[in-house]
Amino acid sequence: MSADDLLYEVEDGVCRLTLNRPQALNAITPDMRERLIKAFGDASGNPGVRAVLLTGTGRAFCSGADLRAAADAQEDGAAPRAGDIARLLRNGAQRLIAAVLDCERPVIAAVNGTAAGIGCHLALACDLVLTADGARFIEVFARRGLVPDGGGAYLLTRLVGPQRAKELMFFGDDLPADEAARLGLVNRVVADGELASTADHWARRLAAGPTLAHALTKRLVNRALEGDRASCFEAEALAQEINMTARDAREGLRAFAEGRRASFEGR
């Protein structure tokens, strides 16, 4: 598979990842998935990356996993053995979603079109979601007689609650961008022609911010719905302890005292 199906660029502190299979509605192949996982992991340890922007080309953000590619990869006539499917998901779709959630940089999804199946979950796993007004989200699994994968139940239940999550997953109806915003699944809906510039502006703002503070804040928010108050408060105190050793924290306090705008370096 050509590397052209996933475009990678780092500029001005922003890592731009672009799904580039418009002819296949940016369906993710196993090879693309592995390179995406690596890109999110590399972003965490690269001091030159301070924000990640994920988008797609053409009329789709991501139509899901490339089931044709998966079928071609299987041996002809080979039936899955017990444990094969669960292992495949753990090592595949779940690793991809975990890579986004665990990335130590803020990740923006710029949803330019249809986000279906794992493509929907890939967008919802991002820290901020911008969407074009013509985009739509589809929990397509029920249409295929399948159970949602890629952390769908985990993500949706936390974002919209159990009843709404079940409605979206049971029926598999198209969810327009404005309705997704009303439910709290996306941060902002913008005109199709303004998505790229808005996403770039947000990404540059994040890249100019306090990188360690962003990473620790992301971790606290992601853990907030899973821990009890005592553990969340303890995590918050530890995050503050770690962050106060950063240059950016000292710069922020000095800038406040001096009445000027802070200049963060990502350290």
Side-chain angles (χ1 to χ4, degrees), residues 50-71:
R50 297 171 66 183
V52 179
L53 175 58
L54 176 66
T55 192
T57 57
R59 59 191 179 92
F61 172 75
C62 175
S63 59
D66 190 329
L67 299 180
R68 294 182 179 86

Side-chain angles (χ1 to χ4, degrees), residues 21 72 76 95 120 152 170 186 195 216:
R21 297 184 71 212
D72 292 341
D76 292 339
R95 280 179 60 237
C120 177
F170 286 171
V186 306
L195 178 65
L216 293 168

Side-chain angles (χ1 to χ4, degrees), residues 15-241:
C15 173
R16 292 174 175 82
L17 299 172
T18 306
L19 305 177
N20 189 40
R21 297 184 71 212
Q23 74 284 358
L25 301 180
N26 296 323
I28 297 177
T29 65
D31 182 64
M32 287 174 67
R33 180 194 68 221
E34 293 304 309
R35 281 183 283 127
L36 275 169
I37 292 170
K38 184 177 187 304
F40 285 116
D42 289 348
S44 294
N46 184 349
V49 173
R50 297 171 66 183
V52 179
L53 175 58
L54 176 66
T55 192
T57 57
R59 59 191 179 92
F61 172 75
C62 175
S63 59
D66 190 329
L67 299 180
R68 294 182 179 86
D72 292 341
Q74 292 181 349
E75 295 180 7
D76 292 339
R81 297 168 296 181
D84 283 353
I85 301 301
R87 190 177 306 107
L88 179 68
L89 289 176
R90 284 195 297 269
N91 294 332
Q94 291 178 355
R95 280 179 60 237
L96 175 58
I97 299 305
V100 180
L101 295 171
D102 294 339
C103 181
E104 295 176 24
R105 304 293 184 260
V107 183
I108 300 174
V111 182
N112 54 297
T114 299
I118 187 64
C120 177
H121 303 161
L122 181 60
L124 299 182
C126 294
D127 303 301
L128 300 172
V129 183
L130 291 169
T131 181
D133 55 12
R136 55 186 180 153
F137 297 82
I138 313 173
E139 285 294 328
V140 73
F141 299 93
R143 298 185 187 182
R144 310 286 185 261
L146 301 175
V147 173
D149 63 24
Y154 174 89
L155 293 167
L156 274 173
T157 303
R158 283 159 175 74
L159 288 168
V160 299
Q163 278 72 32
R164 287 290 191 182
K166 291 170 189 173
E167 177 185 345
L168 293 170
M169 292 180 166
F170 286 171
F171 293 117
D173 293 335
D174 291 16
L175 185 69
D178 58 351
E179 180 66 8
R182 190 183 71 79
L183 292 176
L185 290 173
V186 306
N187 294 88
R188 190 168 302 176
V189 180
V190 300
D192 288 1
E194 297 176 4
L195 178 65
S197 61
T198 303
D200 185 71
H201 175 65
W202 280 31
R204 289 176 182 273
R205 283 188 64 188
L206 289 171
T211 306
L212 178 60
H214 283 160
L216 293 168
T217 300
K218 174 174 179 173
R219 183 175 298 180
L220 289 174
V221 174
N222 285 350
R223 289 184 58 182
L225 292 176
E226 300 170 10
D228 56 61
R229 185 181 68 181
S231 61
C232 287
F233 276 24
E234 178 61 26
E236 178 184 273
L238 179 59
Q240 291 284 0
E241 179 77 19

